[in-house]
Amino acid sequence: MPRAENRKRPPNMPGNTATGRRSKVIDAQKASETQGAQDRKQALIDRMKKLQESKKAGGKPTS
């Protein structure tokens, strides 16, 4: 039998892996961050389209 400090912990010990409830919370945070980034990107795209349309019309850009 190996010495205690040389034995590996079983893979299902708490703290070794992010499983169960903890991983669900992490997944939810990642999903909300991703959604927020997509919303900001879409808002930026919309603003750029408005600026381009106003330039084509010959007017001053409005923010």
Side-chain angles (χ1 to χ4, degrees):
M1 184 94 186
R3 292 184 172 183
E5 61 264 18
N6 293 336
R7 282 189 227 141
K8 290 184 179 180
R9 275 204 231 161
N12 59 354
M13 288 288 293
N16 271 0
T17 58
T19 58
R21 187 174 184 200
R22 184 174 175 199
S23 66
K24 289 179 186 175
V25 170
I26 292 171
D27 290 343
Q29 289 173 346
K30 287 181 182 177
S32 66
E33 290 172 2
T34 304
Q35 185 63 39
Q38 289 174 345
D39 292 343
R40 288 190 299 273
K41 184 176 180 180
Q42 188 60 42
L44 179 63
I45 291 171
D46 293 340
R47 281 193 310 217
M48 294 303 293
K49 284 182 181 179
K50 286 180 183 178
L51 284 173
Q52 287 178 348
E53 288 172 2
S54 66
K55 284 183 180 180
K56 285 181 181 178
K60 289 186 179 180
T62 59
S63 40

